[in-house]
Amino acid sequence: MDSWTGRRVLVAGAGVTGLSVTRALVEAGALVTVTDENEERLASVTGTGAECVPRLASPAEGTDLVVTSPGWRPSSPLLRAARDAGIDVIGDVELAWRLGRTAERPPAWLVVTGTNGKSTAVSMLAEMLRAAGLQAVACGNVGFAVTDAVRAGYPVLAVELSSFQLHWSRSLAPHASVVLNVAEDHLDWHGSFDDYAAAKGRIHERTAIAVHNADDPVSRRLAGEYAPAGAGRVGFTGAVPRAGELGVDEEMLVDRAFDDAGHAHPVPEGGSGGGAPAGGELCAVSEVMPPGPHNVLNALAAAALARSYGVSRGAVRAGLLAFQPGDHRSVQVAEIGGVRFVNDSKATNPHAAAGSLAAYEHVVWIAGGQLKGASVATVDALVASNAHRLRGAVVIGADAEVIAEALARHAPDVPVNRCRSGDDGTMNAAVRAASSMARPGDVVLLAPAAASLDMFHSYAHRGEAFAEAVRALGG
């Protein structure tokens, strides 16, 4: 067990994560210094009992440990200097795990990562756990810092982890873990797709049950490569499941990995799952909200984690019915003249946009922003696989032309409108242009396939601009 009393710890970053980490370390008795490039952010740490030093380039002599916020790149001069000095660098998740191990009753961790769907799956999971009468909370990258969740004493944690957070993890050993899917994203941070996928795979390194997406080859591979010998294997699929899997059969979500009492029958490494139960129904596909094949998979992944912890099938269904989608995640803003306007600003990469588009038959698509290193081939594949759905497209933002060129190659008959200005007025123009292309029964869909920071403060700001533009359109 770690003894924190008197340890000299440097916290890199004074944002939401840094503030949470600082409070936890001070409470544990550590001697904490916090640094940040932004002095306004650093001011938020004042009064916590930590020393604040702006723009440190290297740790002070005598520093025992550096805890970094997830957004700091490994190449940051401060983190490089720490490693060169032989000082251990960890992230907030690793810190939370170590703090939890010292508790009288350490919490159980059910953890989720993936390129897309993490927040949805974790929120679904938390609802399932609560429906089973458990004191559980969604935390991590979903918005409630995992260190705060550990300090609050929750016995069960539904934890969303980003690739950034996993990069800095060392000893996390969850009860069960899942990689939902892996597609090109954050390559500007990790440097390559292989490094990005490897960061995701670390979620399984010490897990008891590795859950994988049987429809995603990288998710399958990571469970096989990273889960320890003896760990259980549970798959989920959008098709009819085999033994040891959860899936869809005759428009019902079904479980063929756990028995009626909630006892796990995961597939051991190299096993066929022949001893798994025949299965039982969880809920109807039509009961999964928001609609779409990607959210059915999110629901199945959440159900696998919940069932691995003994949650009944009835509680899984009750949790799904209680689930409310987060803001800017396939939320219908309005219906005007028979056209639905849907805000999925959280679709910040091509893989997420593909899932969003697949939920609707006829779409006028608003797309564009910063592609974060996604390849032209990935954008081409997104457009080619959804060209038949498109009534029209409106492209915005820094990488608008990449998407426009893909549309010209793979959907040459689809009309494309380019909106070139760089403020909220762009969204007003985009919504008006999209509305003019739509017919009754169509969906005008904001699913940008790209990040937002070229034009907006965040994906939430972008979604709010879309909603405001739709409301203005409706009068």
Side-chain angles (χ1 to χ4, degrees), residues 119-121 123-124 142 289-290 295 323-332 343-346 459:
S119 296
T120 297
S123 299
M124 288 175 168
V142 73
M289 294 294 162
N295 282 319
F323 168 70
Q324 295 294 318
D327 293 339
H328 315 293
R329 292 173 173 85
S330 295
V331 177
Q332 182 169 318
N343 169 16
D344 196 9
S345 184
K346 188 62 171 67
Y459 76 81

Side-chain angles (χ1 to χ4, degrees), residues 13-413:
V16 173
T17 298
L19 180 59
S20 170
V21 163
T22 299
R23 287 173 172 161
L25 286 167
V26 170
E27 182 182 89
L31 303 176
V32 182
T33 300
V34 185
T35 191
D36 198 292
E37 292 292 317
N38 186 316
E39 292 195 38
E40 288 185 11
R41 277 201 303 264
L42 202 57
S44 69
V45 184
T46 302
T48 61
E51 180 185 4
C52 298
V53 182
R55 295 180 294 278
L56 273 178
S58 61
E61 188 175 348
T63 299
D64 299 311
L65 178 72
V66 174
V67 182
T68 179
S69 295
W72 284 51
R73 299 187 184 198
S75 58
S76 299
L78 174 63
L79 303 185
R80 283 205 316 265
R83 293 195 301 274
D84 290 345
I87 300 170
D88 192 20
V89 180
I90 65 171
D92 63 309
V93 172
E94 177 68 16
L95 175 67
W97 175 258
R98 295 183 187 184
L99 290 170
R101 294 302 88 194
T102 66
E104 183 178 348
R105 294 183 179 179
W109 290 50
L110 304 172
V111 295
V112 177
T113 195
T115 302
N116 297 301
K118 298 184 293 296
S119 296
T120 297
V122 158
S123 299
M124 288 175 168
L125 171 60
E127 291 291 356
M128 295 172 189
L129 295 167
R130 287 192 284 262
L134 297 167
Q135 187 184 3
V137 68
C139 59
N141 200 49
V142 73
F144 181 38
V146 66
T147 46
D148 290 342
V150 169
R151 289 169 63 215
Y154 287 95
V156 189
L157 306 179
V159 188
E160 174 187 337
L161 298 183
S162 70
S163 58
F164 306 157
Q165 291 170 311
L166 286 163
H167 178 88
W168 300 111
S169 294
R170 298 285 184 273
S171 60
L172 174 63
H175 172 79
S177 54
V178 63
V179 178
L180 298 172
N181 46 65
V182 185
E184 285 187 349
D185 201 14
H186 300 302
L187 303 191
D188 51 349
W189 196 95
H190 289 281
S192 71
F193 179 80
D194 287 344
D195 287 343
Y196 171 62
K200 295 291 189 187
R202 297 185 71 170
I203 202 170
H204 292 315
E205 284 183 328
R206 296 168 187 82
T207 195
I209 298 178
V211 178
H212 68 272
N213 182 347
D215 302 337
D216 185 293
V218 183
S219 175
R220 290 198 310 270
R221 175 175 64 80
L222 294 176
E225 289 182 3
Y226 284 87
R233 303 290 199 280
V234 173
F236 63 95
T237 172
V240 176
R242 301 176 298 175
E245 294 181 341
L246 292 81
V248 178
D249 193 359
E250 296 185 354
E251 293 301 304
M252 296 294 297
L253 275 64
V254 294
D255 167 14
R256 291 180 180 156
F258 302 90
D259 64 22
D260 290 338
H263 299 137
H265 293 268
V267 181
E269 185 174 6
S272 65
E281 294 180 350
L282 298 170
C283 71
V285 169
S286 61
E287 292 177 307
V288 176
M289 294 294 162
H294 60 309
N295 282 319
V296 169
L297 290 173
N298 290 335
L300 289 165
L305 294 178
R307 296 285 287 142
S308 80
Y309 198 67
V311 171
S312 71
R313 295 191 182 105
V316 166
R317 179 175 184 270
L320 286 173
L321 294 178
F323 168 70
Q324 295 294 318
D327 293 339
H328 315 293
R329 292 173 173 85
S330 295
V331 177
Q332 182 169 318
V333 175
E335 182 172 336
I336 302 170
V339 175
R340 290 182 290 155
F341 291 78
V342 175
N343 169 16
D344 196 9
S345 184
K346 188 62 171 67
T348 59
N349 56 61
H351 186 270
S356 189
L357 286 162
Y360 306 104
E361 186 175 2
H362 297 298
V363 175
V364 179
W365 182 31
I366 300 176
Q370 298 163 303
L371 286 168
K372 297 179 292 182
S375 66
V376 171
T378 299
V379 178
D380 279 351
L382 167 65
V383 172
S385 61
N386 289 283
H388 64 288
R389 304 179 193 280
L390 300 179
R391 296 281 198 204
V394 181
V395 294
I396 62 175
D399 290 325
E401 282 305 309
V402 177
I403 297 173
E405 290 166 6
L407 286 160
R409 285 190 292 271
H410 301 288
D413 297 329

